[in-house]
């Protein structure tokens, strides 16, 4: 399973990259705004800076919502760096644009997926990734993990190569559940990824090992 970090914060991206387990980054307009990145030149420079840190897979979201504008914006984003994956919203013009990008060798991530039918359409259009938002479904008392399970079944039934990128992850248990269900990728905040490191028995066990070693060494 690939691990992406869901942030536009360069320090957090570097920290995850240094951990040696990072496969990519997802951003969205809200995450860019959170870092105070506004204006075309700054946004472009920021995507380039992210690409300089990670090995591959940097999702950059279009702001446009009409076909011609999505194509123009997506082409410009893809031209910034071969690591860029053009993130396109699940709307009618977005699906048409994903088909165009697929036919022209541009990788895509279809975002804001909340139903299996939406994921099926995006796969038909040839999306490289679909992003089901499981945390936001959980927030409205709908089972986000059940959506991941349904999409996995549908993609496997037909051998769609589109990868399931589980998004809107809220914590470490979401990550483990996605791994059990066969998601191809998770994208999560740094806090959810580093929470996977933690277990109280690991901490107490290590403290005991070090204390026993010190005692035996006469320290
Ligand atoms: C996915 O690519 C989105 O950026 C993200 O996972 C949304 O998560 P949120 O629901 O925490 O905003």
């Amino acid at each position: 399973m690939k691990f992406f970090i869901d942030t536009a914060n360069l320090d957090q991206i570097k920290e995850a990259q240094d951990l040696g387990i990072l496969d990519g980054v997802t951003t969205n307009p809200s995450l860019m705004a959170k870092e105070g990145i506004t204006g075309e030149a700054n946004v472009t420079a920021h995507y380039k800076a992210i690409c300089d840190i990670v090995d591959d897979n940097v999702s950059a979201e279009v702001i446009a919502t009409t076909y011609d504008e999505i194509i123009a914006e997506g082409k410009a984003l893809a031209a910034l760096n071969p690591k860029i994956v053009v993130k396109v919203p699940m709307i009618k013009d977005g699906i048409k644009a994903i088909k165009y990008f697929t036919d022209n060798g541009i990788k895509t991530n279809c975002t804001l997926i909340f139903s299996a039918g939406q994921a099926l359409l995006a796969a038909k259009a040839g999306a490289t990734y679909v992003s089901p938002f499981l945390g936001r479904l959980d927030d409205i008392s709908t089972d986000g993990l059940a959506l991941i399970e349904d999409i996995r079944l549908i993609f496997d039934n037909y051998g769609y190569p589109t990868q399931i990128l589980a998004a809107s992850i809220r914590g470490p248990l979401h990550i483990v559940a996605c791994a059990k269900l066969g998601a191809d990728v998770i994208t999560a905040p740094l806090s959810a990824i580093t929470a996977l490191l933690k277990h109280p028995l690991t901490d107490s066990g290590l403290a005991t090992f070090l204390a026993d070693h010190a005692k035996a060494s006469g320290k």
Side-chain angles (χ1 to χ4, degrees), residues 5 11 44 53-54 75 86 105 109 112 140 146-147 157 161 171 176 187 189 192 198 201-202 204 206 212:
I5 187 168
D11 289 336
T44 298
I53 299 170
V54 298
K75 276 181 172 175
V86 179
N109 172 358
L112 291 165
I140 58 158
L147 175 59
N157 279 348
V176 174
T187 188
K198 289 288 170 196
L201 291 179
T202 304
S204 60
L206 181 60
D212 288 347

Side-chain angles (χ1 to χ4, degrees), residues 5 13-14 16-17 22-25 47-58 81 83:
I5 187 168
I13 294 169
K14 278 184 201 137
Q17 177 69 14
L22 194 66
D23 300 297
V25 178
Y47 284 137
K48 285 183 176 168
I50 294 173
C51 289
D52 285 344
I53 299 170
V54 298
D55 299 332
D56 204 0
N57 292 310
V58 176
N81 192 298
K83 297 175 188 174

Side-chain angles (χ1 to χ4, degrees), residues 26-192:
T26 50
T27 62
N28 64 40
S30 302
L31 292 171
M32 294 292 272
K34 193 173 164 195
E35 299 306 313
I37 313 296
T38 54
E40 200 183 325
N42 290 333
V43 168
T44 298
H46 204 73
Y47 284 137
K48 285 183 176 168
I50 294 173
C51 289
D52 285 344
I53 299 170
V54 298
D55 299 332
D56 204 0
N57 292 310
V58 176
S59 279
E61 186 160 342
V62 297
I63 306 298
T65 54
T66 59
Y67 178 75
D68 289 339
E69 287 174 355
I70 294 172
I71 299 298
E73 198 183 341
K75 276 181 172 175
L77 288 169
L80 293 178
N81 192 298
K83 297 175 188 174
I84 293 281
V85 177
V86 179
K87 202 172 179 186
V88 181
M90 166 36 80
I91 53 175
K92 195 171 177 184
D93 283 24
I95 288 296
K96 284 170 63 182
I98 286 170
K99 176 74 173 98
Y100 172 89
F101 289 135
T102 305
D103 290 346
N104 287 276
I106 292 174
K107 288 176 286 179
T108 54
N109 172 358
C110 187
T111 191
L112 291 165
I113 297 273
F114 292 96
S115 76
Q118 291 178 324
L120 177 58
L121 263 188
K124 280 290 289 178
T128 315
Y129 300 102
V130 286
S131 288
F133 277 33
L134 64 102
R136 291 193 194 186
L137 282 169
D138 286 358
D139 290 346
I140 58 158
S141 303
T142 303
D143 188 352
L145 289 169
L147 175 59
I148 307 289
E149 197 173 5
D150 285 350
I151 299 172
R152 179 75 283 154
L153 176 68
I154 291 167
F155 285 10
D156 288 351
N157 279 348
Y158 296 99
Y160 286 123
T162 299
Q163 296 177 54
I164 302 172
L165 197 176
S168 187
I169 296 256
R170 299 283 193 247
L173 289 181
H174 266 162
I175 298 177
V176 174
C178 286
K180 287 163 81 174
L181 292 172
D184 299 286
V185 192
I186 58 91
T187 188
L190 183 62
S191 58

